[in-house]
Amino acid sequence: MPKRARQAGNAITILDVARHAGVSPMTASRVINENPNVGEAMRARVLASVKTLGYRPNLAGRSLRTSGTARIGVLYSNPSAAYLNQFMLGILEQSSLSGSQVLIEKCSGIRSQRAATQRLLDAGVDGVILPPPLCDSSQTLQELDDRHIPTIAVATGAPQEDVGSVRIDDYQGARAMTRYLLELGHRSIGFIKGDPKHTPSALRAAAFFDTMAEAGIRIPAEHIAQGMFTYRSGLAAAAELLKLKRRPTAIFSSNDDMAAATIAVAHGMGLRVPEDVTVVGFDDTPVATTVWPELTTIHQPVTAMGRAAVTLMLEEIRRSRSGRPKAHVHQVMKYTLVKRKSSAPPAR
């Protein structure tokens, strides 16, 4: 007679069933919750393990899965706490409205990505939302696709046809900012690039170069500095640009954290913003209105994007449960150029 896996008081879990049956936790969950997308042989194997182990489904969890709600995973490695806080606010607000659960995992390198993804899968998530930069991780996207887990990529600069996404048009947003600086009269404009692993970074840089070229303006190589979307990297990049003998009259930073760092460096050098140098950013995170002067930037509706990601995710999960094919919706949200006190025409 098979030996029980746990003594009384230590309940058998769905993970025990999955291990006993030799299947993934998601497959075991689908069988137990009567999902039609499971082969009969696999279903029989899982149900045999359920019987052998004496597994009793958690009624609260079962209600969660049959009432139109869901268990949503969020996998992140974003270095910007301001961006992440805004994004998670939207995720939590929208998931609360639907009565869904949110499971959050942090990771960094490829190995930790795999481990964090597996933890979400072991927890039985119904779908996974990927904010930047993991929205572009081919390894993570492939692993989730292999497990047939609905996925929504947020703020990707390279949306894939077979993965739903929520984003803004980073290229057009950066063009709008560059045109604004040109309209102010700036011709000597420095640019701080973002992390090359983030696809929006390349789009923002390309928009800057293209718009300057259309205006017939040559950009000196020394007016381009590399950042990594972090405040610390912005300090180093800004120092490169502001210590030039012929420093730019304006600096366009690829995100607000690096723009805030640029303002700090300028102040430290005794330069006035915007009288001596205009500084602009991108994203409109809370730091944009906590620095002085407040930052001119491109508003990315990060909180609304979090809400939209949950809405798309719940629809994908409903489609999956009903056996319908994935929809792969790509939602492009509006950006706004927000003019504040950090920008002005160049000194004459």
Side-chain angles (χ1 to χ4, degrees):
M1 183 175 179
K3 187 177 181 179
R4 292 276 177 144
R6 304 282 172 89
Q7 299 296 321
N10 292 319
I12 301 297
T13 70
I14 198 169
L15 299 181
D16 298 318
V17 173
R19 293 190 194 100
H20 189 274
V23 300
S24 72
M26 180 56 70
T27 297
S29 175
R30 285 174 172 164
V31 171
I32 291 166
N33 289 291
E34 301 177 357
N35 188 297
N37 298 325
V38 182
E40 286 306 314
M42 188 70 71
R43 187 181 305 279
R45 187 198 307 179
V46 173
L47 292 177
S49 293
V50 167
K51 184 177 181 180
T52 298
L53 297 175
Y55 172 71
R56 294 290 182 272
N58 179 289
L59 294 180
R62 189 178 184 104
S63 172
L64 176 71
R65 294 173 185 282
T66 57
S67 63
T69 59
R71 183 172 294 173
I72 300 171
V74 178
L75 187 63
Y76 79 94
S77 66
N78 197 305
S80 173
Y83 182 98
L84 189 65
N85 288 342
Q86 283 190 289
F87 178 69
M88 288 308 304
L89 177 62
I91 292 281
L92 295 173
E93 284 178 350
Q94 195 65 30
S95 61
S96 177
L97 290 175
S98 68
S100 297
Q101 293 180 346
V102 177
L103 288 76
I104 306 170
E105 286 287 348
K106 181 181 179 180
C107 63
S108 51
I110 290 179
R111 181 173 297 179
S112 68
Q113 284 181 42
R114 289 174 180 152
T117 301
Q118 190 59 53
R119 286 194 296 271
L120 289 176
L121 295 173
D122 288 346
V125 294
D126 298 290
V128 175
I129 294 173
L130 298 174
L134 294 177
C135 56
D136 298 313
S137 170
S138 57
Q139 183 261 328
T140 300
L141 290 168
Q142 186 61 56
E143 184 170 359
L144 292 170
D145 184 61
D146 290 343
R147 303 291 190 92
H148 307 292
I149 302 296
T151 305
I152 300 296
V154 178
T156 174
Q160 300 185 19
E161 289 186 9
D162 58 349
V163 179
S165 66
V166 179
R167 62 187 178 91
I168 64 166
D169 191 328
D170 289 272
Y171 182 84
Q172 291 301 330
R175 278 177 71 84
M177 181 59 80
T178 307
R179 289 193 188 107
Y180 169 65
L181 293 174
L182 292 171
E183 289 167 3
L184 286 176
H186 293 282
R187 294 296 180 269
S188 176
I189 306 173
F191 186 80
I192 300 179
K193 294 182 177 180
D195 188 338
K197 295 193 295 295
H198 294 225
T199 52
S201 177
L203 290 175
R204 295 173 191 182
F208 172 73
F209 294 137
D210 291 348
T211 308
M212 293 290 280
E214 287 173 7
I217 299 173
R218 186 185 71 84
I219 306 170
E222 61 269 23
H223 281 193
I224 307 300
Q226 181 66 58
M228 296 298 289
F229 281 143
T230 63
Y231 184 88
R232 184 172 294 277
S233 71
L235 293 173
E240 286 182 34
L241 298 176
L242 293 175
K243 289 179 179 178
L244 292 171
K245 186 173 182 180
R246 293 188 176 181
R247 66 172 179 268
T249 62
I251 295 177
F252 180 6
S253 177
S254 292
N255 80 340
D256 293 341
D257 282 2
M258 296 190 300
T262 301
I263 290 177
V265 172
H267 288 164
M269 295 174 63
L271 298 173
R272 299 167 301 164
V273 177
E275 292 85 354
D276 297 321
V277 60
T278 278
V279 179
V280 298
F282 203 110
D283 288 335
D284 199 21
T285 54
V287 70
T289 53
T290 56
V291 296
W292 178 83
E294 292 187 351
L295 192 62
T296 293
T297 187
I298 295 294
H299 174 73
Q300 181 172 198
V302 178
T303 300
M305 290 166 73
R307 289 194 290 263
V310 172
T311 299
L312 292 184
M313 174 57 69
L314 291 173
E315 177 55 31
E316 286 285 10
I317 291 170
R318 280 191 284 269
R319 297 180 70 89
S320 176
R321 289 173 177 171
S322 64
R324 291 178 292 162
K326 295 179 181 179
H328 303 313
V329 174
H330 298 278
Q331 184 170 347
V332 180
M333 306 191 75
K334 292 182 179 180
Y335 64 84
T336 308
L337 197 163
V338 182
K339 301 174 184 178
R340 298 195 180 100
K341 299 295 185 180
S342 70
S343 56
R348 299 299 180 187

